[in-house]
Amino acid sequence: MKTIERMLLLVALTIAMISCGGSSEQDTKKEQSETATLDTSKDTGTSLRRGDFETIEVNNGNVGSYTLITGRVVPRTTTQLVSEVQGRVRISSKPFKEGTNFNQGQTIISVDNTEFALNLEAQKSSFLNILTRMMPDLKADYPDNYQNWLKYVSTYTIGAPLPELPATTSDSEKYFVTSQQVYNTYYSIKAQENRLGKYTLTAPFNGSLSETFVDNGGLVSPGQPLGTFISNGSYEIETGVSLQLAGNLKVGQKVTFNSKELNKDFIGTVVRINDILDTKTQNVPVFFKVIGPELRSGLYLEGSLQLEHYESAFNIPPNIIARDNTVHVVQDGTIQKKEVTVVASSRDSVTITGLENGTELVVTTFNKPISGLKITK
């Protein structure tokens, strides 16, 4: 009996100890939770350190309003190379391939003209025979002009273009020369000489081949496209502007364009303004001349065109102005909201009025409201 009582007493004491221990642990956790809450509440969010944000000083002045115009660079001069003769393409010193550069006057492509040139020389030889046969009659009937005709025949050179015929001194001499088929044969040969020159295409300006359609040794026919030749160094920018803006543009007006790829500015000059409105975009096509060795056809450029001037205005970054046209300023040691007037805006800046000179404008953005916060060191 005493043993049972002892066991019951031991169990009771154990239960009491466990209860006391659990209560102590819960009290400890509760105290820690209350401490964390108190620590958090110490950050009341009523101040902001000066080093946590940046400001700029407002300096009002005359500010221009700009609009963004964009366009791609295209060659100012583009020539389609087309064959006017038939034959095989000759192998030249420079390959007839895309990207090959040529200076003005250099041969771009040539077609074998051997057969045509030989036939032309045969016609010249026949013409020389005509002149030779009529020389005795010229000497007898027109002695005053005979020396001019003799000099013409004597200076004939094989392979060289025919020089201009001597002028006749009388109507009878002109009729005699005409009756000998001199003029008819002469102009027929000059036409063939002109055609002989079409067997060789030379560069009309400094440029390069942008595309080619034939290879060396290939057979070409009259009217067959050979390739495209574009100018180098001199380009145009084609862009579209609103009808109202087009009315403010003039030929010769200069606009600054920028290339983000090259990180460089280029000066564009208005060279043409189309009189026709683009039905798709409702914009007026405008063309700017732009020069630069770094430019390439297809390069994308952005330009800014000045529209108006505003007095006592200031440009700010677009991300620091709220939808209700308010900005944050530092005043009397606190951050305060200030309403401004937006007079112009673009992708890169917003032009405002309503701030006094010397105002500290906050340019750092925050994810939480900062209006009313005090400034601390």
Side-chain angles (χ1 to χ4, degrees):
M1 192 67 179
K2 289 182 180 181
T3 302
I4 294 174
E5 290 178 353
R6 290 176 181 176
M7 291 179 63
L8 291 174
L9 181 60
L10 182 60
V11 170
L13 290 173
T14 302
I15 293 173
M17 291 176 64
I18 292 175
S19 299
C20 292
S23 176
S24 177
E25 184 177 354
Q26 290 178 358
D27 292 341
T28 302
K29 290 182 178 181
K30 184 177 180 180
E31 291 177 1
Q32 291 177 351
S33 177
E34 291 176 352
T35 302
T37 302
L38 291 175
D39 291 342
T40 303
S41 65
K42 291 180 181 179
D43 185 10
T44 59
T46 59
S47 63
L48 191 65
R49 292 183 302 174
R50 169 66 72 170
D52 291 339
F53 65 95
E54 295 181 1
T55 63
I56 57 175
E57 183 178 342
V58 174
N59 185 18
N60 292 312
N62 293 329
V63 178
S65 172
Y66 297 85
T67 184
L68 184 67
I69 53 177
T70 60
R72 292 194 179 277
V73 174
V74 296
R76 193 178 182 194
T77 307
T78 300
T79 300
Q80 301 297 326
L81 305 178
V82 179
S83 176
E84 297 185 61
V85 297
Q86 182 171 345
R88 291 197 176 275
V89 178
R90 283 179 172 176
I91 298 176
S92 60
S93 58
K94 286 191 173 183
F96 190 73
K97 299 290 185 181
E98 297 178 8
T100 304
N101 293 301
F102 297 89
N103 294 326
Q104 184 175 3
Q106 282 188 322
T107 298
I108 300 176
I109 189 172
S110 61
V111 179
D112 186 15
N113 62 359
T114 303
E115 183 179 353
F116 187 88
L118 291 175
N119 287 331
L120 179 58
E121 287 303 317
Q123 294 182 48
K124 290 182 179 180
S125 179
S126 299
F127 179 64
L128 183 61
N129 287 335
I130 293 175
L131 296 176
T132 304
R133 285 197 305 266
M134 75 176 192
M135 291 303 292
D137 294 329
L138 285 171
K139 184 176 182 181
D141 298 335
Y142 310 100
D144 294 339
N145 206 26
Y146 172 73
Q147 290 298 326
N148 291 330
W149 285 101
L150 180 62
K151 181 179 179 181
Y152 184 86
V153 173
S154 301
T155 56
Y156 170 78
T157 303
I158 297 175
L162 287 180
E164 187 177 353
L165 289 172
T168 55
T169 57
S170 63
D171 289 342
S172 60
E173 180 186 355
K174 182 175 66 174
Y175 298 150
F176 171 71
V177 173
T178 303
S179 67
Q180 300 300 311
Q181 300 296 314
V182 172
Y183 293 118
N184 181 52
T185 307
Y186 171 80
Y187 287 112
S188 176
I189 292 174
K190 295 302 290 184
Q192 295 303 307
E193 286 180 348
N194 182 65
R195 186 168 183 79
L196 180 63
K198 295 180 179 180
Y199 279 80
T200 300
L201 293 180
T202 59
F205 43 80
N206 295 340
S208 62
L209 291 166
S210 62
E211 55 183 352
T212 58
F213 308 126
V214 296
D215 295 320
N216 288 334
L219 181 65
V220 297
S221 302
Q224 178 179 344
L226 304 177
T228 303
F229 190 71
I230 62 175
S231 59
N232 287 342
S234 180
Y235 298 92
E236 285 186 349
I237 302 171
E238 180 181 359
T239 185
V241 300
S242 65
L243 186 61
Q244 180 181 5
L245 181 57
N248 297 328
L249 288 175
K250 296 180 180 179
V251 174
Q253 185 172 343
K254 298 186 182 299
V255 175
T256 301
F257 288 87
N258 176 264
S259 168
K260 293 183 178 179
E261 290 80 2
L262 300 176
N263 192 25
K264 187 174 181 180
D265 291 337
F266 300 91
I267 302 299
T269 305
V270 179
V271 291
R272 298 189 308 279
I273 302 175
N274 205 329
D275 292 331
I276 300 176
L277 192 68
D278 191 321
T279 56
K280 295 181 179 179
T281 62
Q282 291 297 295
N283 286 334
V284 177
V286 179
F287 300 86
F288 296 84
K289 176 185 175 182
V290 62
I291 299 176
E294 306 92 341
L295 293 173
R296 293 292 183 274
S297 180
L299 184 66
Y300 184 82
L301 295 180
E302 293 184 351
S304 56
L305 186 63
Q306 183 172 323
L307 298 178
E308 298 181 21
H309 274 92
Y310 300 100
E311 297 181 355
S312 300
F314 189 67
N315 282 334
I316 65 173
N319 63 318
I320 68 171
I321 185 168
R323 293 182 179 179
D324 57 353
N325 288 346
T326 58
V327 294
H328 288 101
V329 300
V330 176
Q331 187 174 348
D332 299 330
T334 61
I335 295 180
Q336 299 181 13
K337 269 190 177 183
K338 185 74 174 179
E339 186 176 355
V340 295
T341 301
V342 177
V343 294
S345 62
S346 65
R347 188 178 66 178
D348 298 324
S349 66
V350 176
T351 305
I352 63 171
T353 59
L355 294 180
E356 296 181 357
N357 287 334
T359 301
E360 280 191 273
L361 179 64
V362 178
V363 295
T364 303
T365 58
F366 294 87
N367 295 326
K368 62 180 182 179
I370 61 173
S371 180
L373 296 184
K374 294 182 179 181
I375 308 302
T376 61
K377 294 183 180 180

